[in-house]
Amino acid sequence: MTNFIKTPHGSTIAYNQIKGKKTGIVFLSGFGSDMQGKKALFIEKWAKDNDHSFLRFDYSGHGLSSGELMYTCFSDWYNDTQFLIKKVTQGKQLLVGSSMGGWIMLMLAKRIPNKIHSMIGLAPAPDFPKILIWDKMDKVQRVKLVKEQKINITNKEGSNNEFSYKLIKGSFKNLVLKKPIKFKGPVYLFHGMKDYDVPYTISIDIINNIIGSKNIRLLLEKEGGHRLSEINQLTTIKNIISEIL
């Protein structure tokens, strides 16, 4: 059953949670995605079958939560996540961050490491508004973005996303790859080599940026795209979770 909770920063967040006796798992979805995605539901079923607690939710401006996507940004989504983890989970959690969720995951590792057991990044996209959008724009494109307050980007596969200037500008204050990330728990990253949204080299950058952990691994799938939602990929994710827990 979907529950709703009011945050101290004014959002109303929709979430689903199951309680188990074993280590909790928190799924962090990507930009524009919600808690009804294939990966979230697949992991939830595995968690339930194996007596693990599990939390999935919609960020502000996503799914059933309050707000509009174009008027919210990374700080809002991070604050939603940190509040929920502190409020409704018990003990340390395994974080599974998909795409932008991987950015939130790494920020949590920097700010509340005492609540994190381990991390799994699925095509993680830390700092993506700067690295993948702003840094690739020329002066004319940047002026147009500031004037229109948004930009539409179509990738090689034909999928289209609209990003606000608020998101891009706000990302500059929330970059996680500028400094080393100190984390001692297991870190597993899974990335497709045919990911046209987030290049797998970013996962390599993440690995090189984490210090302290003695258990860091990167799995690359040669034919994998960005979503990692095919049945064989879901099975791989399940196997990664099983190995860590």
Side-chain angles (χ1 to χ4, degrees):
M1 183 181 76
T2 300
N3 299 296
F4 294 87
I5 189 169
K6 189 83 172 179
T7 72
H9 48 279
S11 301
T12 299
I13 302 301
Y15 71 98
N16 277 264
Q17 185 178 33
I18 59 174
K19 296 293 183 74
K21 295 179 181 179
K22 300 178 182 178
T23 304
I25 303 169
V26 179
F27 184 81
L28 308 173
S29 55
F31 173 83
S33 299
D34 59 35
M35 61 177 168
Q36 302 297 334
K38 282 185 180 180
K39 294 189 290 290
L41 297 178
F42 181 87
I43 297 171
E44 180 180 66
K45 183 180 184 303
W46 182 90
K48 187 174 182 179
D49 291 344
N50 291 274
D51 200 21
H52 287 273
S53 296
F54 181 80
L55 172 67
R56 57 185 169 97
F57 63 97
D58 291 333
Y59 309 119
S60 299
H62 292 69
L64 299 175
S65 293
S66 66
E68 296 183 41
L69 182 60
M70 290 302 291
Y71 299 105
T72 52
C73 61
F74 180 83
S75 294
D76 300 309
W77 308 326
Y78 175 81
N79 288 333
D80 295 338
T81 306
Q82 180 174 291
F83 170 75
L84 266 183
I85 289 176
K86 286 186 172 181
K87 185 72 175 180
V88 306
T89 68
Q90 301 295 319
K92 290 191 174 185
Q93 306 293 305
L94 162 60
L95 304 181
V96 182
S98 175
S99 191
M100 185 191 75
W103 183 9
I104 293 175
M105 175 184 78
L106 294 172
M107 184 66 84
L108 291 165
K110 291 172 75 77
R111 293 185 177 175
I112 55 168
N114 60 307
K115 281 290 294 181
I116 304 172
H117 172 277
S118 47
M119 299 189 289
I120 298 174
L122 307 177
D127 306 350
F128 81 87
K130 181 181 185 299
I131 296 173
L132 302 179
I133 303 175
W134 183 260
D135 288 353
K136 294 187 176 183
M137 299 172 71
D138 58 32
K139 185 176 180 180
V140 173
Q141 291 172 317
R142 290 177 178 176
V143 170
K144 183 180 179 182
L145 167 64
V146 174
K147 181 180 179 180
E148 297 182 355
Q149 292 292 297
K150 60 184 179 179
I151 184 174
N152 282 286
I153 296 178
T154 302
N155 71 10
K156 293 181 181 180
E157 294 176 323
S159 64
N160 181 272
N161 282 300
E162 187 174 68
F163 302 99
S164 70
Y165 178 55
K166 180 178 181 179
L167 167 63
I168 296 170
K169 183 180 179 181
S171 72
F172 300 158
K173 296 183 291 185
N174 291 285
L175 303 177
V176 296
L177 295 181
K178 288 180 66 177
K179 296 180 180 179
I181 300 169
K182 297 178 182 179
F183 184 73
K184 295 182 179 181
V187 181
Y188 283 39
L189 306 181
F190 179 29
H191 217 130
M193 296 181 74
K194 289 188 176 180
D195 186 337
Y196 298 119
D197 290 303
V198 182
Y200 69 86
T201 51
I202 288 182
S203 279
I204 296 175
D205 291 338
I206 294 171
I207 282 180
N208 290 332
N209 212 46
I210 294 176
I211 58 175
S213 175
K214 296 181 179 180
N215 186 4
I216 304 180
R217 302 185 187 186
L218 169 61
L219 174 62
L220 298 176
E221 184 173 306
K222 186 176 181 180
E223 300 299 321
H226 185 63
R227 296 187 181 278
L228 299 177
S229 294
E230 300 298 326
I231 186 61
N232 65 302
Q233 295 162 343
L234 294 174
T235 299
T236 296
I237 294 168
K238 177 192 70 175
N239 292 339
I240 293 172
I241 295 172
S242 298
E243 184 170 337
I244 287 179
L245 295 178

